[in-house]
Amino acid sequence: MARQTGTQSGERRLAVLEGVLERITYANEENGYTVARVDTGRGGGDLLTVVGALLGAQVGESLRMEGRWGSHPQYGKQFHVENYTTVLPATVQGIRRYLGSGLVKGIGPVFADRITQHFGLDTLRVIEEEPKRLIEVPGLGPKRTGKIADAWEEQKAIKEVMLFLQTVEVSTSIAVRIYKKYGDASISVVKEQPYRLAADVWGIGFLTADKIAQSVGIPHDSPERVKAGLQYALSQSADQGHCFLPEERLISDAVKLLAVDTGLVIECLAELAEPGEDGAEPGVVREKVPGPDGAAGEPVTAVYLVPFHRAELSLSSQLLRLLRTDQDRMPAFRDVDWGRALGWLKGRTGADLAPEQEAAVRLALSEKVAVLTGGPGCGKSFTVRSIVELARAKQAKVLLAAPTGRAAKRLAELTGADASTVHRLLELKPGGDAAYDRDRPLDADLVVVDEASMLDLLLANKLVKAVPPGAHLLFVGDVDQLPSVGAGEVLRDLLADGSPLPAVRLTRVFRQAQESGVVTNAHRINAGQHPLTDGLKDFFLFVEDDTEEAGRLTVDVAARRIPARFGLDPRRDVQVLAPMHRGPAGAGVLNGLLQQAVTPGRPDVPEKRFGGRVFRVGDKVTQIRNNYEKGKNGVFNGTVGVVTSLDPVDQRLTVLTDEDEEVPYEFDELDELAHAYAVTIHRSQGSEYPAVVIPVTTGAWMMLQRNLLYTAVTRAKRLVVLVGSRKAIGQAVRTVSAGRRCTALDFRLA
């Protein structure tokens, strides 16, 4: 089947190879580099390895590839593909395999067999030109034939878009997403308004849009490019937690990113801050705010993306409105006999409150907005339970919420009352708008939000808007943990000097908690002291200075040693928490190794390869973006679940989330999921696990900070195992997180 083709010049000729794509061994979603096996029809079941740009090629397709022959020292003879086209198969057997490969949604091997038996070589023409005739095939009803016809059309349209996008090196999954967003207009949007992609399509950042723009001929110094670059720099900073950037820093970031003249950046920034000619809102907002040193320092000009500016103004004004209103939905606590009330409470709970806990209970029930913070073992949970018990005794309507499903479950167990995620409480709808807001507030007298360190600015604003005037709002969280994944530092700003919000910080560690190595060491780390690792029943250190070996040892501890010694389930009860995603002891590599150990591939279990990952039934996975369109009220960055089914014919897998919701994912949406056997410490916030294993290696040197290690240790209920070097642990304990995030909520509140 392989044959040489002639070329005009004296260059080495390109060879042509034809074959059916049997399986993809590896695919890099970023650049389309693929390693695959093809059947060249030589018989004997021999498959040939092909490598190169096979972007968009699907298993089961017949390919005509141009390229060069080569040899790999380990894998032998290979064909290096430079370009390819798909060729529709010409034999009945080829058509059957093509249709049965899962390429067309709704057709699996069984129906492929029946359809080709019925129509023979005419099969593909019938699907293309007379799809209604598919109903002639036994077992194919009108509903399924309609689905098959739609899937065939979509596949064709996506192919067209992909062939165009191949010239600008856009990955398959992004091409699919562009098509889903713009449909038939895809090619014209890409050609004429490429920078729209960065704003409209998840997974396309400015850099990809910029590459596309350059390949369709948009000039390097076009104002459209510079404005898009400025907005990209701001959205990047929001991903790092900042609500704004000081103007000077934004300008220098943009000059570096765009490699253009500073004057041009300043001009374009001024234009972005102006409303559009048709009255459209500006792209950014500029405002003077106090500098990083607070009132003493020089003010800076802050540049915000509009949603963050709007949310900061709204959140501060709503909090002050709630705090200062004369209405009170729990008037019974204005003149309550606290002696009697606390005596009654002791009868219910069987324990006295410590003085600072008592102060927190009084505060939450008598003030409209209050904040409760404190580390592990200081009685935050018992204090919250006491507040809820007293409120319910006075017939108050209490709503309990937390940012994650796991934290909400824990809050419900603790208080004996229903608790939900903030997203469910607000009933977020597709697009991200909440069913409850200022015009339609929640029906509540007391709203308690646990794990408030995880609340980012946008979510906190949505929540506070929905609290009715006169209701009491209590934020509960540990301010020493890492701040939220999203932009803002809400809990810290609520507790800042000069904040008008009343707050209690619990500091006393209770005696029973002092016996826990996990609690003791969390407080030691927070105070800048080395954790104790000798002679404890629930806190261990495996010393390993080599980063790669530490990664392997982490996997062994999590998948084998802890389950054997403590009887814990490696998937459900043990969580590996890594300081960073990259590197030999990073979450990325560890996920691959842990999947092999905990959910290895089996011939009888279907799996789906997507990009560099393989998904299997039983896999522990996490959502890596906010998607308001999925599930009942959206599925959010950090939601964890387990894959419960995988259907190659309908091209869908189902995840049971930790909120007990079954969420389907089409195969082309799998870049929203990552494996979660190991997650970064940032992603673990708000979750609690029976056991955590933390690789702490010098390979993660830049990430090692006190609040990072403290957050990781406080995720564990029963057991912590550190794996790595004493030097790296020392670095983490010594290093106090550098610098605050750029936020002005504290200034607006004060």
Side-chain angles (χ1 to χ4, degrees):
M1 271 235 189
R3 55 185 189 277
Q4 301 287 350
T5 60
T7 53
Q8 296 301 313
S9 67
E11 294 171 30
R12 241 179 87 202
R13 298 170 175 189
L14 286 182
V16 173
L17 178 72
E18 290 183 3
V20 177
L21 184 58
E22 285 290 328
R23 68 169 180 269
I24 291 173
T25 314
Y26 168 80
N28 183 324
E29 281 297 310
E30 298 303 311
N31 58 21
Y33 178 80
T34 304
V35 179
R37 304 276 281 160
V38 297
D39 182 352
T40 56
R42 283 179 296 196
D46 278 354
L47 298 181
L48 181 79
T49 298
V50 297
V51 299
L54 282 168
L55 197 62
Q58 305 280 356
V59 170
E61 286 185 321
S62 297
L63 305 180
R64 184 176 189 278
M65 296 161 281
E66 291 188 332
R68 306 182 195 283
W69 290 99
S71 184
H72 188 281
Q74 195 176 342
Y75 303 114
K77 192 177 181 185
Q78 291 184 340
F79 189 74
H80 293 263
V81 181
E82 299 206 358
N83 50 64
Y84 79 93
T85 51
T86 51
V87 188
L88 288 176
T91 65
V92 171
Q93 184 197 0
I95 293 168
R96 185 188 302 124
R97 287 188 37 222
Y98 176 64
L99 289 179
S101 66
L103 186 69
V104 182
K105 205 181 274 187
I107 306 182
V110 174
F111 279 119
D113 200 33
R114 286 189 203 169
I115 294 168
T116 46
Q117 269 182 22
H118 189 82
F119 295 114
L121 283 172
D122 217 16
T123 297
L124 298 179
R125 187 196 65 75
V126 169
I127 296 175
E128 171 82 33
E129 295 171 17
E130 304 175 85
K132 288 197 169 97
R133 282 189 61 198
L134 289 170
I135 204 158
E136 297 168 19
V137 177
L140 276 182
K143 197 172 168 191
R144 193 182 274 269
T145 55
K147 261 174 133 177
I148 290 169
D150 290 347
W152 181 264
E153 281 305 312
E154 185 177 57
Q155 190 60 38
K156 261 179 36 193
I158 288 175
K159 258 283 175 291
E160 230 178 278
V161 174
M162 277 187 181
L163 285 173
F164 170 70
L165 290 174
Q166 228 180 324
T167 59
V168 291
E169 293 180 18
V170 170
S171 76
T172 318
S173 60
I174 285 176
V176 170
R177 233 187 262 119
I178 290 173
Y179 177 76
K180 281 192 166 175
K181 178 75 184 171
Y182 304 115
D184 296 339
S186 298
I187 291 174
S188 69
V189 171
V190 169
K191 278 183 175 170
E192 291 156 28
Q193 299 169 284
Y195 291 107
R196 254 182 81 185
L197 302 175
D200 291 353
V201 183
W202 180 75
I204 298 190
F206 172 79
L207 301 179
T208 306
D210 200 33
K211 198 159 50 167
I212 294 170
Q214 284 178 25
S215 63
V216 297
I218 287 179
H220 187 71
D221 59 355
S222 104
E224 185 194 0
R225 176 175 184 261
V226 177
K227 288 176 190 174
L230 281 160
Q231 287 177 303
Y232 169 72
L234 284 173
S235 70
Q236 284 288 93
S237 73
D239 290 346
Q240 289 156 12
H242 300 297
C243 298
F244 68 81
L245 278 183
E247 187 174 49
E248 285 176 16
R249 183 164 148 199
L250 172 61
I251 290 167
S252 72
D253 285 0
V255 168
K256 253 185 254 162
L257 170 74
L258 299 164
V260 292
D261 185 58
T262 307
L264 179 61
V265 171
I266 291 169
E267 266 172 51
C268 288
L269 179 57
E271 281 175 35
L272 259 184
E274 292 293 322
E277 285 171 18
D278 52 358
E281 62 180 24
V284 299
V285 176
R286 294 199 285 193
E287 186 190 354
K288 282 262 192 280
V289 301
D293 308 320
E298 283 292 305
V300 297
T301 300
V303 185
Y304 287 83
L305 288 172
V306 174
F308 295 104
H309 185 257
R310 201 179 276 151
E312 213 174 68
L313 285 175
S314 166
L315 177 56
S316 55
S317 69
Q318 301 286 353
L319 282 168
L320 295 172
R321 179 178 70 94
L322 289 175
L323 185 66
R324 292 169 180 162
T325 180
D326 292 332
Q327 292 168 264
D328 193 348
R329 294 180 61 136
M330 293 204 296
F333 290 100
R334 278 193 208 150
D335 45 15
V336 72
D337 180 338
W338 284 106
R340 275 183 65 192
L342 296 170
W344 174 87
L345 184 66
K346 184 181 176 182
R348 292 277 294 180
T349 61
D352 277 316
L353 289 167
E356 52 189 21
Q357 289 178 308
E358 190 183 309
V361 170
R362 288 184 177 216
L363 200 66
L365 296 171
S366 56
E367 293 279 1
K368 308 291 174 28
V369 185
V371 187
L372 170 62
T373 186
C378 293
K380 277 200 311 291
S381 299
F382 185 66
T383 307
V384 170
R385 186 184 148 196
S386 303
I387 291 164
V388 172
E389 288 274 4
L390 280 169
R392 287 165 80 192
K394 295 287 188 188
Q395 314 306 307
K397 289 177 184 155
V398 180
L399 290 179
L400 304 172
T404 65
R406 283 185 177 218
K409 269 186 186 166
R410 198 173 66 234
L411 187 57
E413 285 160 14
L414 170 82
T415 55
D418 287 342
S420 70
T421 60
V422 176
H423 308 101
R424 286 201 178 210
L425 180 71
L426 299 175
E427 290 178 19
L428 291 189
K429 300 185 295 238
D433 290 330
Y436 293 96
D437 57 21
R438 192 167 174 171
D439 298 326
R440 187 196 173 202
L442 295 160
D443 182 16
D445 304 319
L446 171 65
V447 179
V448 179
V449 193
D450 198 11
E451 293 288 354
S453 62
M454 289 186 69
L455 281 180
D456 62 46
L457 174 67
L458 299 182
L459 186 59
N461 179 44
K462 284 189 170 87
L463 171 70
V464 173
K465 260 202 283 201
V467 177
H472 292 227
L473 173 60
L474 175 66
F475 294 98
V476 183
D478 183 347
V479 75
D480 293 321
Q481 284 180 29
L482 288 167
S484 56
V485 175
E489 233 174 336
V490 173
L491 185 62
R492 184 158 293 174
D493 284 342
L494 299 184
L495 289 163
D497 289 345
S499 167
L501 304 186
V504 170
R505 183 171 190 137
L506 304 178
T507 53
R508 181 187 146 199
V509 181
F510 285 87
R511 197 178 65 237
Q512 63 271 33
Q514 288 171 0
E515 291 161 16
S516 152
V518 176
V519 172
T520 302
N521 279 329
H523 285 280
R524 285 182 67 87
I525 291 165
N526 204 25
Q529 299 168 340
H530 246 277
L532 306 169
T533 52
D534 291 331
L536 296 172
K537 301 190 293 289
D538 61 353
F539 202 104
F540 301 90
L541 167 64
F542 286 83
V543 176
E544 176 51 70
D545 289 333
D546 180 78
T547 300
E548 216 159 304
E549 276 305 315
R552 281 196 281 271
L553 181 54
T554 298
V555 172
D556 190 45
V557 167
R560 298 181 193 90
R561 297 193 196 192
I562 289 177
R565 178 161 172 193
F566 294 95
L568 295 173
D569 180 299
R571 192 185 287 112
R572 189 186 62 237
D573 302 327
V574 183
Q575 184 63 55
V576 173
L577 301 179
M580 57 198 286
H581 185 75
R582 295 204 171 116
V589 168
L590 296 180
N591 262 317
L593 298 172
L594 285 159
Q595 185 192 33
Q596 283 169 26
V598 179
T599 318
R602 299 207 314 266
D604 56 324
V605 176
E607 55 181 44
K608 171 64 184 169
R609 185 174 290 278
F610 188 92
R613 298 197 271 268
V614 180
F615 291 96
R616 302 186 180 119
V617 171
D619 268 340
K620 185 175 178 179
V621 291
T622 180
Q623 172 83 8
I624 56 173
R625 66 171 284 222
N626 289 344
N627 185 337
Y628 296 101
E629 316 292 324
K630 290 199 91 59
K632 196 173 157 210
N633 299 119
V635 180
F636 296 89
N637 190 347
T639 299
V640 175
V642 173
V643 177
T644 52
S645 70
L646 194 152
D647 184 339
V649 176
D650 283 335
Q651 298 184 25
R652 178 183 294 132
L653 62 75
T654 305
V655 174
L656 179 66
T657 71
D658 53 13
E659 292 175 56
D660 299 321
E661 181 180 9
E662 291 214 313
V663 180
Y665 287 80
E666 305 294 322
F667 281 176
D668 58 27
E669 297 176 312
L670 291 183
D671 52 356
E672 294 192 17
L673 285 180
H675 290 102
Y677 299 97
V679 297
T680 61
I681 296 166
H682 280 89
R683 295 188 73 81
S684 73
Q685 289 166 267
S687 294
E688 223 186 30
Y689 316 94
V692 302
V693 184
I694 310 164
V696 190
T697 66
T698 50
W701 195 257
M702 297 305 292
M703 293 296 293
L704 297 177
Q705 292 177 352
R706 188 180 298 171
N707 61 352
L708 189 84
L709 186 55
Y710 174 75
T711 299
V713 167
T714 55
R715 299 306 86 215
K717 276 197 276 205
R718 288 170 48 190
L719 174 69
V720 171
V721 181
L722 303 179
V723 179
S725 73
R726 294 184 194 278
K727 183 180 177 188
I729 293 167
Q731 165 73 359
V733 167
R734 277 193 310 276
T735 309
V736 179
S737 154
R740 289 283 312 275
R741 292 178 166 190
C742 294
T743 79
L745 179 64
D746 53 348
F747 151 69
R748 297 183 198 283
L749 283 169

